[in-house]
Every structure is written in structure tokens, then in C-alpha cells.
Amino acid sequence: MGRLGLRGAAGLLAVLLAVSLAGCTDSGGEGEGGLTIGLLLPSRAVPRWEKSDKPLIEKRVEELCADCTVVYANAENDAASQRQQMTSMITRGVSALILDVVDPKALRSSVRAAQREGIPVVAYDRLAEGPISGFVSFDGAQVGMLQGQALMKGMGARADGGGVVMMNGDPSSPNAAWYEGGARAALRDEVRILKSYDTLGWRTENAHDHMSAAISDLGPSRIDGVLAANDSIAAGVISALKSARVSPLPPVTGQDADLDAVQRIVKGEQYMTVYKPFRLETEAAAAMAVALARGNDIDALVTTTVDSPTTEDVPAVLLTPTAVTRETIGRTVVRNGVYTLDQICTPKLRPACDRAGLTR
């Protein structure tokens, strides 16, 4: 990932204050009218991009800049498509870009092309390569550590030397290695990692195939826990375990707090997920992009710096993730308004919700 250089003791409160102040920043020279923010997201395989990130970014840009326009494209996990989409936005002359990169190396030349045209690029959620102007994400090492720590808690006595299968993310994503590094740091010297797989495209079906192979190779009795990098991967893992009639299910981790993952946690099929308040991430990215589009600096908006493989001291905001288990659903995703109890607790899940203390 590269080193982190903290700028003082700035924390989440400073981020929230800076994001709110960004809406009051005067435009330097060019007025708000005509500014265009390009938004490039990586896929539809992970539900959060279309259901959370896109609408939240669009909403916050509108709040900060009433006359700004957001133009959107989704790469469908294809780096060549994302290059074409980015070229189109550069040609169109957007004022700034928010880029959630599919493949950092493949998009490096596109980031350089944007710089040549004077278009600042905010790397969103994944650290892009090339001359980016800012980076907004959650601390990936913390994400992995939360997963590893929760997995060992879920394994109970079996955490002492038990067998774990790791289902990592897509290796083309810099976050996949970030998460895996944090998880391995938490699991080190505690458990035995029996198998480790990379999940291309973060796709559920690929995770299902890998888990089926692990069950066949190891036998279900040797698998005491599964470190799944996100909720889409967890869905494939749990489907494979159920298809193999593994009972009881071993604890399985996740990430993103997808609604179906929260419901699996209520049912006892998935042990945990990592909740990342997407509103904070989208607000920080929108504020950064609008400020850059206006030609303003972003010093007041950032809390740290990061190094990419190509660029040192990239101004950044790294937010703090939170572990969610059955016991904490109410005081995390429900209290924060991510989901209502009615959304989680369908009539079929009502008894399980009652047992979990999720009552109206």
C-alpha cells in the first residue's frame, strides 16, 4: 500500500467539518455553472457501487455545487472499457474526475492524460496510479484486521491452531492485497491457513467454485473458518458450504454490510461483515472533487497522505471501518440509518430477528 504520513492529530471530526465547509468555499475565478464531475465506478458485481456510492456522490455534489453536473460510467470490471470511458470524459472536458479504478496499472496512462488536460483525478476507494490529486478510502489494513479478529472470535476454541480458508479479492485491485495483509497480521501464529484463493472480479460464482474445491480437497471437518474478503465472496462461500451439506457452518467473514449479508448474519449463516459508512466516503470524495474542479486546494479536506507505486505524498482521507456481528446490527447499520428493521426483518426472518434482539 505504501506508507502513511499523518498530518497532525486530525480525525473523523476534522473530516466531517472539512466536508461541510467545502460547500461554502468560494469558486476561484470560474463560476459554478458549467462544472462537470466525471464519476467512474468499477463494476455492478458488488451491490454497493450502484446502490450506495453513485447516488450518494451525485447527491453530495449537487449539495455542494447546485449548477454542477455529474456524468457517470460503470466499467463492468473491464479495464479496457474504463480506459475508453475515461478518454471520453477527458475529451468532453470534465472539470474533475472521481475514479474507482478497475486496474491501477492499466489506467495509469489515462490518469496521465487527464493531468495533461488539466483535469484533477480523485482516486476513490482504490488507490490509482499516476499523478492523482487525492485519495479517499477506508483503511484497508484495519478492514482485514477486523475480519481476522472477528473470525478467530467466531471460531472459539478452534482459533488455537484451527484451519482457515482465505478467499481474497481480485488481485488486480490494490485493496485486495491491503485487506489480505491486515487479515494475515491478525491471524498470524494463531491459525493454520490451509488454502488461499484470489477471487477474480470479486464474483460470487468464482468464490463458490473455489470453496467447492477447498471442501473437496480438505474435507469439511478440517475447515474451521473462512476469511472471505467481502460479502459477494461470502455469498459464494456459504452457498458452496450449504451445497456440500456442511453443518454447522463455520464462521465466515465479509465486508460492505450488503443487505443480504446482514440478513445472513441474522440467520446465523455469516458470522460478520465490515461496515464502512459510505456516506462519509462519498461526501469526502465529492467535496474533494468539487474543490479541485473550482481550482481550490484541498488541504482542509484531508487527514493524511499516502504513497502509490508512482506518486508520493498523495493527499488522502482514510476512514475507520466497523465490525458488524449479530449482536451489533442494531447499534451500527440500523442506528446509522443504513437499513430499517423492516428491510432487514422480512416476515420470514422475524423469528431470527427476535432472537437477535432486533425488535421494533
Side-chain angles (χ1 to χ4, degrees):
M1 170 58 200
R3 65 176 176 80
L4 303 181
L6 294 178
R7 295 184 175 179
L12 182 56
L13 181 61
V15 175
L16 290 172
L17 178 61
V19 169
S20 65
L21 290 175
C24 303
T25 303
D26 293 332
S27 60
E30 184 178 7
E32 290 183 354
L35 293 182
T36 304
I37 308 297
L39 174 61
L40 294 152
L41 294 181
S43 78
R44 291 185 173 87
V46 177
R48 61 166 287 194
W49 305 126
E50 297 275 330
K51 293 182 178 180
S52 296
D53 300 74
K54 177 180 179 287
L56 287 171
I57 288 173
E58 290 173 336
K59 179 176 183 290
R60 189 55 175 159
V61 168
E62 182 180 357
E63 291 170 349
L64 296 174
C65 179
D67 295 326
C68 286
T69 301
V70 175
V71 292
Y72 172 67
N74 191 299
E76 302 281 9
N77 272 324
D78 185 78
S81 293
Q82 193 167 62
R83 280 198 304 269
Q84 293 170 356
Q85 291 164 355
M86 195 162 172
T87 298
S88 176
M89 290 190 182
I90 293 170
T91 302
R92 177 175 179 159
V94 297
S95 310
L97 283 164
I98 299 173
L99 170 65
D100 194 331
V101 67
V102 173
D103 184 330
K105 290 182 174 61
L107 269 292
R108 186 189 299 170
S109 61
S110 299
V111 174
R112 288 174 177 156
Q115 184 197 40
R116 287 195 296 271
E117 296 301 320
I119 300 171
V121 177
V122 176
Y124 181 71
D125 201 70
R126 302 172 185 176
L127 185 59
E129 296 183 12
I132 57 175
S133 298
F135 176 48
V136 177
S137 189
F138 286 84
D139 189 321
Q142 288 187 18
V143 169
M145 292 195 74
L146 288 174
Q147 291 173 328
Q149 291 164 355
L151 183 64
M152 288 190 293
K153 183 176 180 181
M155 290 169 64
R158 293 190 174 188
D160 184 9
V164 167
V165 173
M166 292 194 72
M167 292 287 177
N168 307 306
D170 190 320
S172 68
S173 166
N175 283 1
W178 205 8
Y179 302 147
E180 182 182 354
R184 285 183 179 272
L187 298 174
R188 185 176 294 123
D189 301 326
E190 300 291 338
V191 301
R192 294 174 296 119
I193 297 174
L194 304 177
K195 295 277 187 179
S196 182
Y197 299 90
D198 292 332
T199 310
L200 295 181
W202 306 82
R203 293 188 178 278
T204 298
E205 58 269 29
N206 292 339
H208 180 283
D209 292 345
H210 290 323
M211 194 67 221
S212 296
I215 294 168
S216 177
D217 289 347
L218 299 171
S221 63
R222 293 181 61 194
I223 301 172
D224 298 311
V226 182
L227 196 299
N230 76 353
D231 291 334
S232 296
I233 292 172
V237 166
I238 291 166
S239 175
L241 289 166
K242 292 169 72 174
S243 294
R245 302 184 184 276
V246 176
S247 181
L249 293 173
V252 179
T253 68
Q255 177 186 181
D256 291 334
D258 294 342
L259 178 57
D260 56 355
V262 174
Q263 292 172 329
R264 287 194 297 269
I265 292 171
V266 169
K267 290 187 287 186
E269 295 178 347
Q270 184 170 328
Y271 182 70
M272 67 84 71
T273 187
V274 176
Y275 167 50
K276 301 184 296 187
F278 300 137
R279 181 182 60 82
L280 300 180
E281 187 180 20
T282 58
E283 287 187 352
M288 199 178 286
V290 168
L292 290 166
R294 289 170 169 161
N296 297 331
D297 66 55
I298 56 173
D299 287 349
L301 301 176
V302 302
T303 58
T304 188
T305 62
V306 302
D307 292 347
S308 79
T310 61
T311 310
E312 293 185 352
D313 297 326
V314 176
V317 173
L318 293 183
L319 299 165
T320 302
T322 303
V324 177
T325 62
R326 193 176 184 187
E327 294 73 28
T328 63
I329 290 172
R331 61 179 182 266
T332 53
V333 293
V334 174
R335 181 178 295 174
N336 288 1
V338 181
Y339 307 118
T340 65
L341 284 176
D342 285 339
Q343 287 176 303
I344 297 170
C345 301
T346 61
K348 188 176 181 180
L349 284 182
R350 189 68 260 172
C353 281
D354 289 342
R355 291 191 294 272
L358 297 172
T359 56
R360 293 177 181 83

